[in-house]
Amino acid sequence: MLRIKLVGSPVANKPANRRTVEALGLKKMHQVVEHKDDASVRGMIRKVRHLLEVEEVKE
């Protein structure tokens, strides 16, 4: 599992980056969500890594 926290504002970023943050389920600053560790989620994280804090957690 991956714990993902939104630490940077997507407002001043490209629309594609805003949609990626929204697709991860993040709507507000400092909101935390958990996702399974798979290739699609890792790809989204890589695209907007400058806005996120990510940590691996054991299930």
Side-chain angles (χ1 to χ4, degrees):
M1 292 289 280
L2 296 172
R3 184 172 291 144
I4 306 166
K5 181 177 182 180
L6 182 62
V7 294
S9 176
V11 172
N13 280 272
K14 295 179 182 180
N17 287 353
R18 290 195 294 266
R19 288 192 301 270
T20 302
V21 168
E22 188 177 324
L24 285 168
L26 296 163
K27 297 178 182 174
K28 296 182 178 183
M29 291 289 295
H30 307 290
Q31 182 181 0
V32 178
V33 294
E34 290 188 359
H35 285 284
K36 291 181 188 175
D37 188 3
D38 62 3
S40 63
V41 173
R42 288 279 183 169
M44 288 192 282
I45 290 170
R46 192 174 306 117
K47 188 173 179 184
V48 291
R49 64 183 172 263
H50 57 286
L51 301 175
L52 306 174
E53 274 183 8
V54 180
E55 69 177 271
E56 272 189 57
V57 293
K58 294 187 178 184
E59 295 183 32

